[in-house]
Amino acid sequence: MDSTSSPAAEVCRRLDQMRADRKPHEPVWRDCYLHTHPMRSHGFDELIKDAQQADTRQADLIDTTGTESADLLVSNIASGMTPPNSLWFELEPGTGMADDEGKRWLSGAARALWTNIHASNFDAESVDALTDAVDAGWFVLYVEEAEEGGFRFEQWPLSECFIASTKPGGRIDVVYREFELTAQQAVTQYGEAVSDKTKKLAQDKPAEKVRFVHAIEPRRVSVVGARLARNLPFASRIIEVGQKLMVRESGYHEFPCVAPRWHRIPGSPYALGQAFKALPAMRQINAICRMELASLDLAIAGMWIAEDDGVLNPRTVRIGPRKIVVANSVDSMKPLVPGSDFNVTFSKIERIQAQIRKIMMADQLQPQDGPAMTATEIHVRVGLVRQMLGPIYGRLQAEYLQPLIERCFGIMYRAGVLGQAPESLQRAGFTVRYIGPLARAQKFEDVTAVQRLYEMGAGMAQVAPEVFDNIDHDEAFREVAENLGVPQKTLRPVADRDAVRDQRQEAQQEAAEQQQAAALTQSAGDAAVKQAFAA
């Protein structure tokens, strides 16, 4: 096969094209990182190659309002969307035709899935991933089965990743990751598959770096239920870039990368984060703070004017404590009063800081000082959070949580951890219902509406008791329980509920019949006694 038309050469050509497509957006991501988390701009900023250089960049970040606001937004999204201490999703039958056994199997599978996700390194990697989402607008989280069982999550640096979608406006399903290994690491990792040049480097210069690209994309042709890696729906190819040589080919049952976007850039698969909206304010406040520091230096050290009168040489005078300045007269040297007004600076800085916190949604998300809030205040605050994070949470559900759960479910099911699914689920499939704090905040309006309806009905029932006949109380109760995130296993299935009611009704009817029979027996006995006395 001609090397220019080989799969490896094709991957290299597409890598060059994807690199060119991404390049115009990189300066914006770099600026967003430099005003929030400078260390994470590694790869986009040529001046940051190690911790010492990152510390220099960090020193240029005079005001840290952007960093604090971004960290607060990340922590609130992580705790509100995927909390490690409570179940944040349920699995339900896809067609709604599954029986109670299927529903209970899905409920148990959801809990096992949640347990294994948080027993892995997910919580550590997801925070870094969400930081990239807030700063740059996207991230790539790689999900695979760990060698010891369970899951292994790996958040790939954005500077190494290139993304695309095979469907216009669709979910990301193409990820190219360009990375480097030392020649010795490459030989250890890929063995004899590497080029002869790399093998020689491993002997002569083992620390020399070699470039590779990991290309993950849908196969043009795949086999349903395939077992061989080369027939699976998603292809995995690792190419030695310099030699255009494929060193490993494999595949995946599901797309192994989770790559959500915050605010999509029109006409591009890439995105921008919330930090982009606050970037002008963050630039402005750092410029003002630099001028404030210069004015502060003048205010502390002072500014002087000196006359070169033949006795006093202003070019050699050094002002300081316990120093004597020789002058012809006291008028030869005078302090100048700087025209700085710190009150203006403080006021402007406070306004810009408030603006940054508002843009980064940190003004409502941060803990409120003062006395405990009333139920009404809590409801209003939850409503504000829901309105602010609602659109973003909807996109993260579709591009982050859904593919994450699908990938993890597939790994666990193939490993046999979940057991065999009931027959009723074989064709029904499943859907995901989110029950985390943010999801519940989205549905809190429905809970409040039902509560208000019953409150109004209680008042109206004093005049018209039949008003409650309009409400299906069982359905209302189940709707409230679902929106509050009550675990499915704590609610009886409808059939079991009806059976309990039938048993109660039968017991009540039997007790009534026994009471009636006892009354009849008592009445007959009383009649017999009266007849005996009459005789």
Side-chain angles (χ1 to χ4, degrees):
M1 180 183 295
D2 184 3
S3 62
T4 60
S5 60
S6 66
E10 183 181 346
V11 168
C12 292
R13 281 195 299 270
R14 187 167 190 190
L15 174 64
D16 291 338
Q17 181 61 51
M18 295 176 78
R19 187 186 291 111
D21 293 341
R22 195 191 73 172
K23 197 167 187 62
H25 311 305
E26 294 176 5
V28 180
W29 298 332
R30 170 182 168 275
D31 280 357
C32 290
Y33 277 128
L34 290 180
H35 287 85
T36 51
H37 302 93
M39 185 65 192
R40 302 194 70 83
S41 66
H42 175 74
F44 294 129
D45 188 353
E46 296 179 355
L47 298 180
I48 295 183
K49 294 186 181 349
D50 52 41
Q52 184 176 358
Q53 292 172 333
D55 181 61
T56 303
R57 282 294 200 185
Q58 186 76 29
D60 293 336
L61 190 61
I62 302 175
D63 184 88
T64 59
T65 305
T67 303
E68 296 165 1
S69 300
D71 289 342
L72 184 59
L73 179 56
V74 168
S75 64
N76 275 276
I77 292 176
S79 61
M81 192 165 58
T82 57
N85 57 346
S86 63
L87 192 67
W88 44 269
F89 67 93
E90 282 282 4
L91 302 181
E92 297 180 340
T95 61
M97 299 298 292
D99 55 17
D100 290 335
E101 180 188 6
K103 293 178 181 178
R104 289 188 179 276
W105 185 88
L106 284 175
S107 180
R111 183 161 290 278
L113 197 59
W114 170 79
T115 301
N116 279 273
I117 287 175
H118 290 286
S120 67
N121 64 331
F122 172 77
D123 294 309
E125 294 294 301
S126 64
V127 171
D128 288 339
L130 288 172
T131 300
D132 280 343
V134 170
D135 291 349
W138 60 290
F139 65 81
V140 176
L141 184 65
Y142 178 71
V143 187
E144 69 173 355
E145 184 177 2
E147 294 180 0
E148 64 277 7
F151 307 119
R152 185 176 74 85
F153 297 89
E154 188 177 341
Q155 188 262 326
W156 287 349
L158 291 193
S159 60
E160 298 179 355
C161 298
F162 306 86
I163 59 176
S165 175
T166 57
K167 299 177 182 178
R171 186 192 294 177
I172 295 299
D173 58 3
V174 177
V175 171
Y176 279 33
R177 182 197 179 197
E178 188 177 24
F179 61 98
E180 291 184 336
L181 296 175
T182 66
Q184 187 176 37
Q185 290 171 339
V187 171
T188 302
Q189 185 80 10
Y190 305 119
E192 294 298 318
V194 300
S195 66
D196 293 337
K197 179 179 179 181
T198 301
K199 294 175 186 175
K200 189 172 187 310
L201 281 175
Q203 295 177 352
D204 302 337
K205 299 178 180 179
E208 191 80 12
K209 294 293 183 68
V210 181
R211 274 199 310 146
F212 293 88
V213 58
H214 186 184
I216 305 172
E217 54 194 330
R219 292 189 192 275
R220 296 185 178 92
V221 178
S222 61
V223 178
V224 177
R227 294 182 179 274
L228 296 178
R230 63 173 179 270
N231 295 327
L232 294 178
F234 292 93
S236 170
R237 301 182 180 94
I238 298 180
I239 311 297
E240 186 178 334
V241 177
Q243 305 302 312
K244 294 183 173 58
L245 176 67
M246 186 183 300
V247 297
R248 179 173 295 174
E249 182 176 12
S250 184
Y252 302 98
H253 291 85
E254 306 88 14
F255 191 60
C257 295
V258 180
R261 281 99 29 108
W262 193 275
H263 295 298
R264 285 182 55 189
I265 301 173
S268 170
Y270 296 100
L272 296 171
Q274 195 68 15
F276 173 73
K277 294 184 175 181
L279 190 56
M282 290 189 289
R283 287 170 175 160
Q284 185 179 13
I285 196 171
N286 275 278
I288 292 175
C289 287
R290 288 188 185 92
M291 290 188 289
E292 182 189 29
L293 289 176
S295 298
L296 184 63
D297 182 50
L298 288 176
I300 294 175
M303 186 167 59
W304 298 77
I305 183 173
E307 178 184 359
D308 189 356
D309 56 6
V311 177
L312 176 66
N313 185 357
R315 297 170 184 80
T316 59
V317 171
R318 295 292 179 266
I319 305 297
R322 295 184 298 277
K323 289 188 177 180
I324 299 175
V325 178
V326 179
N328 188 36
S329 69
V330 293
D331 294 329
S332 297
M333 188 171 183
K334 297 179 180 179
L336 288 179
V337 179
S340 305
D341 188 347
F342 287 97
N343 291 325
V344 175
T345 305
F346 295 153
S347 176
K348 184 65 174 177
I349 288 176
E350 289 176 356
R351 288 200 301 270
I352 299 176
Q353 287 175 335
Q355 180 184 2
I356 293 173
R357 293 190 184 100
K358 183 176 182 180
I359 295 173
M360 300 295 288
M361 296 183 275
D363 55 344
Q364 290 296 331
L365 296 177
Q366 63 185 356
Q368 303 292 326
D369 298 328
M373 293 185 291
T374 64
T376 303
E377 291 172 335
I378 293 175
H379 172 66
V380 171
R381 189 176 176 204
V382 167
L384 288 172
V385 173
R386 178 180 59 81
Q387 292 173 9
M388 290 186 296
L389 292 179
I392 299 302
Y393 181 57
R395 178 179 288 278
L396 290 177
Q397 275 186 346
E399 295 192 350
Y400 176 27
L401 301 184
Q402 183 75 24
L404 172 70
I405 293 172
E406 289 175 355
R407 172 64 172 161
C408 292
F409 180 90
I411 291 175
M412 287 190 68
Y413 190 74
R414 287 189 297 274
V417 177
L418 302 177
Q420 185 66 28
E423 186 177 351
S424 62
L425 289 174
Q426 296 299 325
R427 292 186 299 272
F430 69 86
T431 59
V432 182
R433 179 170 64 92
Y434 301 101
I435 57 175
L438 274 177
R440 291 200 299 271
Q442 294 279 317
K443 299 177 180 179
F444 196 72
E445 286 292 339
D446 294 339
V447 176
T448 305
V450 174
Q451 290 175 340
R452 289 176 179 173
L453 178 64
Y454 273 90
E455 291 172 0
M456 293 177 61
M460 298 174 64
Q462 298 177 5
V463 180
E466 65 276 6
V467 70
F468 277 110
D469 295 340
N470 292 286
I471 301 177
D472 186 338
H473 301 293
D474 286 334
E475 189 62 30
F477 184 83
R478 286 183 173 273
E479 183 70 18
V480 170
E482 178 181 347
N483 292 337
L484 288 177
V486 175
Q488 185 72 22
K489 65 179 182 180
T490 63
L491 297 177
R492 284 195 179 103
V494 174
D496 291 353
R497 179 202 65 193
D498 293 341
V500 169
R501 288 177 176 176
D502 291 341
Q503 291 174 3
R504 183 187 302 119
Q505 187 175 0
E506 290 175 1
Q508 291 173 349
Q509 185 176 356
E510 184 178 351
E513 290 174 353
Q514 291 176 354
Q515 186 177 3
Q516 186 178 5
L520 290 174
T521 302
Q522 179 70 29
S523 177
D526 291 345
V529 171
K530 287 181 181 180
Q531 187 176 4
F533 277 110

